[in-house]
């Protein structure tokens, strides 16, 4: 085997051992030494692949989420209430609703929110990830509802749905049997649009215009986490490079283009070993929500990829990345024709012509 194949096999052994340890003992009581023993490796070998127990936990959850097949999106739904009900039923079906339902796909996720709350970096990333989920779902609901992506939003509907899901998940783990899945799905199906939920474009004085450039565009290749297929950006469109603390800025890209142009979101981090698995986990969850209840033609025209090494960001001319990276480029005829960085970068690059 090549060195890369050997590393991949080693990581798989560690993940398998860690999963068994987390299932048996939970996150708090799990021990790295025990994981190393299960994997028949040294403690140092485990740490050479994962920086700590939290990173290992996120990686196990992300691997489980990636292994779970996505449902086939419905061909048609009767309206927003139907879509919301379908998403709710799909999510609730994955929760451990019995007293000791360890085979539930979501069983290991019971420790997720408490552990995220104890870690500053993970907490900041999770806040943005939930915002990203709400934005993408909201725009899909708007499209389903017959609205173009304008100032009238349905993001608050999505936020309410996600809030219900978070509460149901924690209750299912802490008080098994207390969640009435059928009644809760009915409640979710009755969520209504907030008429005050409007989009205020970032036409602010501090948003600098995009820099006009004419640079070579080396098309990056990555796995689109939404559709689980290879993401190959076309000759035109917008590429947004966002750190885990700035993910909600993608709304500027989707709103400013009117969701009529392809948008590629590249997620970067200065702590990729720990935070990128959390990103991949939450995007996998978003993909399941969409696939459960929204016909594919209503999904926003976007791709989401993660960039652990910084190579995708470098292809856009962005050399250094961190959690607050906010940059975007416009692609035209396979050339980078505009580049922006800082607050409002997605909007600035989106409107550059």
């Amino acid at each position: 085997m090549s060195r890369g194949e050997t590393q991949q096999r080693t990581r798989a052994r560690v993940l398998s051992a860690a999963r068994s340890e987390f299932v048996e003992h939970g996150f708090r009581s799990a021990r790295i030494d025990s994981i190393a023993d299960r994997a028949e490796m040294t403690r140092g070998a485990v740490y050479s692949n994962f920086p700590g127990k939290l990173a290992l936990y996120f990686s196990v959850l992300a691997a489980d989420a990636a292994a779970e097949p996505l449902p086939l999106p419905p061909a048609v739904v009767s309206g927003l209430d139907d879509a919301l009900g379908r998403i709710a039923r799909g999510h609730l079906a994955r929760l451990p609703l019995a007293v000791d339902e360890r085979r539930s796909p979501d069983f290991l996720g019971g420790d997720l929110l408490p552990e995220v709350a104890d870690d500053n970096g993970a907490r900041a990333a999770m806040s943005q990830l939930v915002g990203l989920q709400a934005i993408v779902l909201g725009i899909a609901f708007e499209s389903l509802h017959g609205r173009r992506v304008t100032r009238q939003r349905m993001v608050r509907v999505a936020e309410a749905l996600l809030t219900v899901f978070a509460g149901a998940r924690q209750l299912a783990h802490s008080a098994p049997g207390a969640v009435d899945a059928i009644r809760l799905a009915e409640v979710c199906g009755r969520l209504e649009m907030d008429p005050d939920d409007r989009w205020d474009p970032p036409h602010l004085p501090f948003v600098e215009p995009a820099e006009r450039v004419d640079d070579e565009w080396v098309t990056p290749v990555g796995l689109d986490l939404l559709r689980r297929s290879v993401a190959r950006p076309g000759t035109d469109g917008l590429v947004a490079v966002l750190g885990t603390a700035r993910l909600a800025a993608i709304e500027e890209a989707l709103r400013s283009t009117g969701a009529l142009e392809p948008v590629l979101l590249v997620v970067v981090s200065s702590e990729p070993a720990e935070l990128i698995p959390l990103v991949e986990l939450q995007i996998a969850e978003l993909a399941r929500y969409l696939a459960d209840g929204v016909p594919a033609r209503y999904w926003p025209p976007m791709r989401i990829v993660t960039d652990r090494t910084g190579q995708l960001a470098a292809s856009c001319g962005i050399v250094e990345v961190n959690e607050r990276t906010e940059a975007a480029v416009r692609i035209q005829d396979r050339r980078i024709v505009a580049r922006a960085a800082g607050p409002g970068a997605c909007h600035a690059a989106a409107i550059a012509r």
Side-chain angles (χ1 to χ4, degrees):
M1 292 186 295
S2 68
R3 182 179 179 182
E5 290 172 333
T6 300
Q7 291 176 333
Q8 187 175 10
R9 176 171 289 188
T10 299
R11 283 178 60 87
R13 283 175 57 192
V14 175
L15 287 175
S16 177
R19 190 185 194 285
S20 297
E21 180 76 5
F22 292 140
V23 167
E24 186 173 339
H25 298 289
F27 177 82
R28 293 288 174 94
S29 299
R31 298 171 59 247
I32 293 294
D33 286 339
S34 297
I35 293 172
D37 290 342
R38 288 175 184 267
E40 298 182 344
M41 299 170 62
T42 65
R43 178 186 179 94
V46 173
Y47 278 118
S48 69
N49 286 275
F50 300 92
K53 191 167 72 168
L54 189 61
L56 195 47
Y57 179 56
F58 290 162
S59 297
V60 167
L61 294 180
D64 279 5
E68 184 183 353
L70 282 179
L72 187 67
V76 63
V77 294
S78 61
L80 179 61
D81 56 345
D82 185 20
L84 291 169
R86 287 170 181 260
I87 294 171
R89 289 191 293 274
H91 175 73
L92 294 170
R94 289 186 286 268
L95 294 182
L97 300 178
V99 173
D100 192 22
E101 197 174 333
R102 290 174 178 264
R103 294 185 179 182
S104 165
D106 195 69
F107 173 78
L108 281 173
D111 291 327
L112 178 64
L113 294 183
E115 296 309 322
V116 165
D118 279 348
D119 185 272
N120 289 336
R123 188 166 61 248
M126 181 64 87
S127 174
Q128 290 289 302
L129 284 163
V130 173
L132 173 62
Q133 289 179 330
I135 289 164
V136 175
L137 281 172
I139 289 176
F141 294 159
E142 292 162 23
S143 180
L144 179 64
H145 209 260
R147 288 178 167 82
R148 288 186 55 191
V149 182
T150 60
R151 297 185 67 176
Q152 178 65 57
R153 300 161 84 231
M154 298 187 73
V155 175
R156 289 182 186 171
V157 173
E159 289 173 345
L161 187 70
L162 296 175
T163 301
V164 171
F165 288 174
R169 171 176 290 170
Q170 288 307 104
L171 189 60
H173 284 280
S174 60
V179 175
D180 186 337
I182 296 176
R183 178 62 61 86
L184 203 57
E186 291 176 352
V187 170
C188 291
R190 297 193 183 103
L191 294 174
E192 296 182 356
M193 182 176 62
D194 183 349
D196 295 326
D197 186 9
R198 294 188 173 273
W199 167 248
D200 294 322
H203 296 171
L204 305 175
F206 63 80
V207 177
E208 296 288 338
E211 175 189 6
R212 301 306 177 113
V213 297
D214 183 19
D215 295 338
E216 181 183 6
W217 168 241
V218 180
T219 304
V221 176
L223 176 67
D224 173 22
L225 300 177
L226 271 186
R227 294 167 178 80
R228 296 189 183 177
S229 60
V230 175
R232 296 183 181 275
T235 59
D236 299 322
L238 190 74
V239 180
V241 181
L242 301 176
T244 59
R246 298 298 301 159
L247 296 177
I250 195 61
E251 187 165 12
E252 296 177 14
L254 295 170
R255 301 283 178 190
S256 298
T257 61
L260 298 176
E261 296 182 78
V263 173
L264 174 66
L265 168 58
V266 178
V267 182
V268 296
S269 171
S270 58
E271 299 182 57
E274 182 166 297
L275 294 183
I276 290 300
L278 180 61
V279 171
E280 292 170 346
L281 171 64
Q282 294 305 110
I283 301 305
E285 188 172 75
L286 170 61
R288 287 197 296 269
Y289 295 154
L290 287 168
D292 280 336
V294 182
R297 65 182 179 276
Y298 296 119
W299 294 24
M302 67 181 300
R303 303 289 188 271
I304 303 176
V305 300
T306 53
D307 185 8
R308 293 174 181 262
T309 65
Q311 291 182 341
L312 299 182
S315 71
C316 298
I318 303 155
V319 179
E320 296 184 7
V321 298
N322 56 46
E323 310 317 312
R324 300 197 65 79
T325 294
E326 187 171 350
V329 296
R330 169 167 283 285
I331 310 301
Q332 184 174 327
D333 297 328
R334 299 186 185 277
R335 305 285 294 180
I336 299 176
V337 298
R339 181 181 289 111
C346 291
H347 171 72
I351 65 172
R353 293 291 187 274

